[in-house]
Amino acid sequence: MHHVSLIVEFLRGRPAVVFWTVALTQGLLWTVIPSVFYSAPPGDVPLLLAIGHELMLGSYLGAPLAFWLGEIAFRIGGLPGLYALSQICVVTTFWAVFTLGRSVVGTRHAVLGILLMAGVTAFTVPSPDFGPAVLAAPFWALALLHYWRAVGEQQRGAWFLLALDLGLLLLTNYIGVILLVLLIAFTLAVPRGRQALAHLEPWIGFVLFAIVIFPHAAWLSGQREFIVAGFREGFLADAAATGQFSPGLRFCLALAATHAGLALLVALASGWPRQRRDRAPAIDRPPAETVARYYIYFFALMPAAIAIALAFAGGRQLEPLGLLGSLAPLVVLSGLAIVVVAGDEVLLYRERMVSSVWLAFLIAPPLMVVFSLTAVPWTSASDLRIAQPAMAEAQFFAESYQRRTGKPLAFVTGDERLAPLIALMAPGRPRVFFAWAPQRSPWVSVDDVAKDGAVLVWPAENNATPPAALKTQFPTMVPELPRSFARTVQGRLPPIRLGWSVLRPQATP
C-alpha cells in the first residue's frame, strides 16, 4: 500500500487552508525575525527612508510611492512596521497569483504554484529589504489578475481595478512600463482583447490610469536635466567597469539564482530518474482553456526576456529606471507557469522528500539569518550590515550634538551608508544631506547645512582623516577623536570605529 504525506492529503482536501497557512507563516517569520534580531535595517532601507522623509514627488531612484509608504509605515510602527509592510506585499502577491490560478487551473493546482514559490528566493531572504521592487510585486500580480478578469472572464468592471493597479505600479517602479506594453500587445493579439476594446470601460479605465500617474508625470517633465545626468552617470560607470560582468549577464545570473530552489523542487517532484514501479499520488484539475495557458506562459516569460534584453542593451545607464534591481515582479508567475506546463494531472513522486525540502525552504532561511548573526562574528571577518549597532551610534551622535550646541540635531551627512542609517535611528529624525552626491538631495544645500549645523560621520577603521570631499564642502569642520562601538555579538571582529565632526550652527545676528 502506498502512503502519502500529510501535506498531500491537506492539498487534496483543504487546498485553501494550505495556501493561507503557507502565506501567513512565511509573512510572520520574515516579520518577527528581522524585528527581533536585526540591530540595523537591511539593504537600502535607510536611504529609502531618508528620501521618503522628504515626501517628494520623485527622486533619482525613481517613482515615489514606495518611499511614501515606507515613511508612513516607519512613522506608525518603526522598523517592525516596515518589515510588516514588506510581508503584506509578499502575501498580497501570493493571494493575487493564487486567485488567478484558481480561475485558470483550479484551486489545487493554484496552491501547487504557490508552494513552488517557496523556492523563489526573491520572495524570501531579500523581502525585509522594503523598496520599489518589493512594492511593485503585488501591483504587478493584481494587474495580471484583474486583466484576466476583464478580458478572459469578460468582467467589465475589472478594467477600473486594472487601471488603478497599473497606475500605482508606475508610481512604484518604472519596470511597470514593461507590463503595460505587454498587456497592450496581448490585448491586440487575442480576439477577446480586441472585442473588449469595443466597450466603454477600457477607455474610462485609461482616463483613471492617466489621473493616477499625472502628478509624477508632471514632476518628470520638469526634471529633464536631472534624468539626463542620471543616465550620464550610468554611462560613465559602465565605461569604467572593466573586468566586471556586464549588467545583462549579472541580471541573467540573478534570475537563474532566484529560481534555483524552484528547479530543485520540480526535479524532486518529477522523480527523475525513476523506475517503472515507482508510484506517486496524483493531483488532478479540470482542463485549462487554451487562451488561459497562453496567457500564463506569455506573462511568465516575456517580462523577464524584455528586461534581459534591456539590461544587455542599456547597461548601467538603466540603473536610474530601477530595472536592474527589480527581480520580484518579473517572477510572480514562475510557479504557476510550471504547474500549467505539468498538465491536467500532476504526479508527485518522492512526496515525503519534496515535503521536507519545501519545509526547509520555508523555515531554513530565517533560521540561517539568526545563525549568521550569532555565529559569523566568531568564525569569519564578515561585517554584516544588519548587525551594525545603529541605535547606539545614533544615540551617541545626537546627544553629542545636543550637548555641544543646545539644539536638536538637524542634519546628518558624510558617508553614503552611515549618514542615512544614523539619521534614521536618531531621536527627532534629522534630515540627510547627500554630501557624496549633492545633486541627489535637492531638498537641502551645503549652505543650509552650514547654517543649521550637522554631524558629519565616516568610517575610520584604517584612517581617521575625514574624506577630502567633506573638507572641501565644510572647510570649518574640526574632526573629533574616532568613536568605537561594540556589536551585540562582537565575536572576533574588531569594534566599529567611526570618524565624526560636529558642525556648529551659525550664530543668528
Side-chain angles (χ1 to χ4, degrees):
M1 180 180 294
H2 181 76
H3 298 280
V4 298
S5 62
L6 188 61
I7 193 171
V8 173
E9 291 294 344
F10 270 107
L11 189 57
R12 287 172 170 174
R14 300 286 181 132
V17 173
V18 173
F19 163 74
W20 284 113
T21 301
V22 170
L24 294 179
T25 299
Q26 176 167 326
L28 183 63
L29 284 172
W30 284 111
T31 301
V32 172
I33 294 296
S35 300
V36 174
F37 293 97
Y38 288 13
S39 58
D44 293 328
V45 166
L47 186 61
L48 176 134
L49 292 177
I51 296 173
H53 191 49
E54 306 299 329
L55 296 177
M56 299 179 63
L57 284 174
S59 69
Y60 77 98
L61 291 178
L65 187 57
F67 302 88
W68 294 348
L69 292 182
E71 176 67 16
I72 292 171
F74 183 78
R75 291 186 182 184
I76 294 174
L79 286 174
L82 193 66
Y83 300 143
L85 177 60
S86 292
Q87 298 316 307
I88 289 172
C89 292
V90 173
V91 172
T92 303
T93 302
F94 286 173
W95 175 84
V97 175
F98 172 66
T99 306
L100 174 62
R102 294 178 76 172
S103 301
V104 174
V105 293
T107 303
R108 293 177 178 177
H109 281 211
V111 175
L112 282 178
I114 297 300
L115 293 179
L116 287 175
M117 297 298 282
V120 179
T121 56
F123 295 102
T124 55
V125 178
S127 62
D129 185 3
F130 180 78
V134 173
L135 184 60
F139 292 135
W140 187 290
L142 287 170
L144 291 173
L145 168 63
H146 293 139
Y147 178 87
W148 177 249
R149 286 180 171 174
V151 174
E153 300 176 354
Q154 300 179 353
Q155 299 179 20
R156 297 183 187 178
W159 283 105
F160 306 134
L161 294 175
L162 173 63
L164 185 61
D165 297 333
L166 291 175
L168 294 176
L169 176 60
L170 288 182
L171 284 180
T172 300
N173 196 319
Y174 297 142
I175 199 172
V177 174
I178 295 177
L179 181 61
L180 178 62
V181 171
L182 290 177
L183 287 174
I184 294 173
F186 192 86
T187 301
L188 298 176
V190 299
R192 292 187 193 182
R194 295 191 296 271
Q195 292 170 7
L197 295 180
H199 301 292
L200 189 60
E201 288 81 3
W203 306 106
I204 297 177
F206 175 77
V207 174
L208 176 60
F209 167 77
I211 292 173
V212 171
I213 67 170
F214 175 77
H216 182 62
W219 178 86
L220 276 177
S221 66
Q223 301 293 323
R224 295 175 184 173
E225 294 182 1
F226 188 70
I227 295 171
V228 170
F231 279 95
R232 187 182 299 117
E233 289 179 9
F235 177 79
L236 295 176
D238 206 15
T242 57
Q244 299 180 10
F245 289 130
S246 68
L249 183 57
R250 286 193 289 110
F251 194 76
C252 290
L253 293 175
L255 273 175
T258 201
H259 285 94
L262 183 148
L264 177 60
L265 288 173
V266 171
L268 292 175
S270 67
W272 186 87
R274 62 175 183 265
Q275 301 177 357
R276 291 184 179 181
R277 296 179 180 180
D278 290 344
R279 300 176 61 186
I283 300 177
D284 56 2
R285 74 181 188 210
E289 292 183 83
T290 301
V291 66
R293 289 189 285 107
Y294 289 159
Y295 177 73
I296 299 299
Y297 297 154
F298 184 81
F299 286 99
L301 298 175
M302 288 305 298
I306 292 177
I308 290 172
L310 289 174
F312 274 107
R316 290 175 177 82
Q317 298 175 63
L318 293 178
E319 288 184 355
L321 300 181
L323 295 181
L324 302 183
S326 303
L327 286 179
L330 302 175
V331 299
V332 296
L333 290 186
S334 297
L336 185 58
I338 294 296
V339 171
V340 174
V341 170
D344 298 337
E345 186 178 66
V346 174
L347 300 178
L348 291 180
Y349 290 90
R350 303 171 182 159
E351 72 273 12
R352 287 184 177 81
M353 183 183 296
V354 172
S355 300
S356 300
V357 172
W358 173 84
L359 190 63
F361 283 146
L362 181 67
I363 297 178
L367 295 181
M368 288 298 296
V369 169
V370 176
F371 176 79
S372 298
L373 289 171
T374 55
V376 166
W378 297 98
T379 59
S380 172
S382 300
D383 194 8
L384 300 177
R385 286 192 178 186
I386 56 176
Q388 302 298 304
M391 185 63 71
E393 295 169 354
Q395 196 76 26
F396 170 79
F397 292 123
E399 290 178 355
S400 297
Y401 184 89
Q402 178 85 31
R403 286 195 304 267
R404 297 189 183 200
T405 65
K407 296 181 179 181
L409 180 59
F411 290 102
V412 181
T413 187
D415 180 70
E416 181 177 0
R417 183 176 65 86
L418 290 173
L421 178 62
I422 292 171
L424 175 65
M425 307 304 291
R429 287 290 302 282
R431 303 166 76 186
V432 181
F433 171 61
F434 295 178
W436 56 93
Q439 73 279 6
R440 293 181 174 180
S441 55
W443 53 83
V444 65
S445 65
V446 174
D447 293 336
D448 296 328
V449 176
K451 176 184 176 182
D452 296 334
V455 164
L456 286 61
V457 294
W458 60 90
E461 285 84 1
N462 301 318
N463 187 3
T465 304
L470 284 181
K471 289 289 293 182
T472 301
Q473 290 171 323
F474 307 104
T476 61
M477 66 175 289
V478 178
E480 306 284 345
L481 290 175
R483 174 74 178 185
S484 296
F485 298 90
R487 301 168 180 82
T488 303
V489 181
Q490 188 64 41
R492 298 166 56 191
L493 296 174
I496 295 173
R497 194 164 176 261
L498 302 182
W500 63 292
S501 175
V502 171
L503 194 67
R504 295 179 182 271
Q506 296 176 355
T508 304

